[in-house]
Amino acid sequence: MDEQLPDVQASEPDVTVGLNRVGVTGVTKLVELARPEKRPIVLTAEFEVLVDLPSWRKGADMSRNMEVVDEILEDAVSEPTYRVEDVCGEAAERLLEKHDYTSKAEVEMEAEYMIKDRTPESDRPTQATADIIASATATEEGTREKIGARVTGMTVCPCSQGMMGQTAREKLEELGVGEAEVREFLQEVPQAGHSQRGHATLTVESDGAPEVDLMELIKVARDSMS
């Protein structure tokens, strides 16, 4: 007579406290994105796969999470995929199907993307990087997807510029320059200030896939720097 092994994960815990984000993080996979009439983009992406764990269950089935991610990414390589957020969305929906005890599944992805660029002054070809951010949350009500980017750039400290501007105003007033001329001078002449490196993150979230272009999001975030 065969004896069935106990399913420890499905048993009731001694302490019945639900957890809202249980899963695995730091999973690295290759994702291939198709582009019309262009070579595909291959991304080295890092994934997080998470589910809700109800209070009556002792643990989550981590092997099922990895099985779903592998299946989805293999599909993304073998068939044209144009949106990384759709990869996350499909994976989240499959997680929800495979984990019948959960009410929410989340898949998050980050990947570094190389951008062809030109230097601002000498107009020479160069390269820059941006971090692509994508995620999806699947529930019984539907799936919400998010897409965005994080860029690095230089900003100028507004405090130091404000102090320099005030010093310039006081000096011009001492020299008898009129208010209109002072305002014009401060508008036309950039005030000195120390620079600092900063990160700008811009994301758009909606029901289903957001109707935005990832390259436009990257451009907006980069143009927001000083």
Side-chain angles (χ1 to χ4, degrees):
M1 181 177 178
D2 294 334
E3 292 186 4
Q4 187 175 2
L5 295 176
D7 188 350
V8 177
Q9 302 285 18
S11 63
E12 185 175 346
D14 297 331
V15 180
T16 55
V17 177
L19 302 174
N20 62 358
R21 300 181 91 231
V22 178
V24 292
T25 64
V27 182
T28 303
K29 296 289 182 180
L30 288 179
V31 177
E32 184 174 323
L33 297 179
R35 296 186 298 170
E37 301 178 0
K38 293 182 180 180
R39 290 187 301 175
I41 300 172
V42 179
L43 301 172
T44 302
E46 188 171 287
F47 284 86
E48 295 184 2
V49 286
L50 309 162
V51 297
D52 276 4
L53 183 66
S55 60
W56 50 264
R57 187 180 173 93
K58 197 166 190 176
D61 300 314
M62 293 298 97
S63 61
R64 293 185 187 178
N65 286 11
M66 294 314 305
E67 177 184 324
V68 169
V69 171
D70 282 334
E71 288 177 1
I72 296 298
L73 298 186
E74 286 301 320
D75 290 344
V77 171
S78 61
E79 299 179 5
T81 299
Y82 294 95
R83 297 173 180 265
V84 288
E85 62 270 34
D86 287 344
V87 175
C88 295
E90 188 174 349
E93 290 170 0
R94 289 197 188 181
L95 279 171
L96 197 65
E97 293 174 2
K98 285 183 174 287
H99 296 74
D100 54 5
Y101 56 81
T102 190
S103 60
K104 182 172 69 174
E106 301 174 61
V107 176
E108 300 177 0
M109 188 213 83
E110 286 197 19
E112 187 177 70
Y113 177 61
M114 297 298 298
I115 307 167
K116 290 184 178 181
D117 200 2
R118 304 194 73 85
T119 56
E121 295 299 328
S122 57
D123 194 35
R124 294 183 177 181
T126 185
Q127 295 182 356
T129 61
D131 293 325
I132 297 175
I133 303 169
S135 67
T137 302
T139 64
E140 293 181 355
E141 287 73 31
T143 303
R144 290 186 63 84
E145 295 182 4
K146 179 191 293 184
I147 183 63
R150 179 173 56 249
V151 303
T152 301
M154 300 302 294
T155 63
V156 178
C157 174
C159 298
S160 60
Q161 281 193 312
M163 289 187 290
M164 292 300 295
Q166 182 60 30
T167 300
R169 169 179 289 277
E170 293 174 355
K171 188 63 177 179
L172 290 171
E173 289 175 350
E174 291 177 5
L175 295 174
V177 178
E179 177 62 25
E181 288 77 10
V182 170
R183 286 200 304 269
E184 182 180 358
F185 174 82
L186 295 176
Q187 290 175 355
E188 296 296 330
V189 180
Q191 300 304 300
H194 71 81
S195 60
Q196 52 203 3
R197 190 170 69 167
H199 299 288
T201 303
L202 178 61
T203 61
V204 177
E205 183 177 3
S206 70
D207 293 329
E211 294 298 325
V212 295
D213 184 89
L214 177 60
M215 295 301 102
E216 286 295 324
L217 292 180
I218 293 175
K219 184 178 185 304
V220 170
R222 297 183 69 198
D223 290 347
S224 299
M225 297 296 178
S226 296

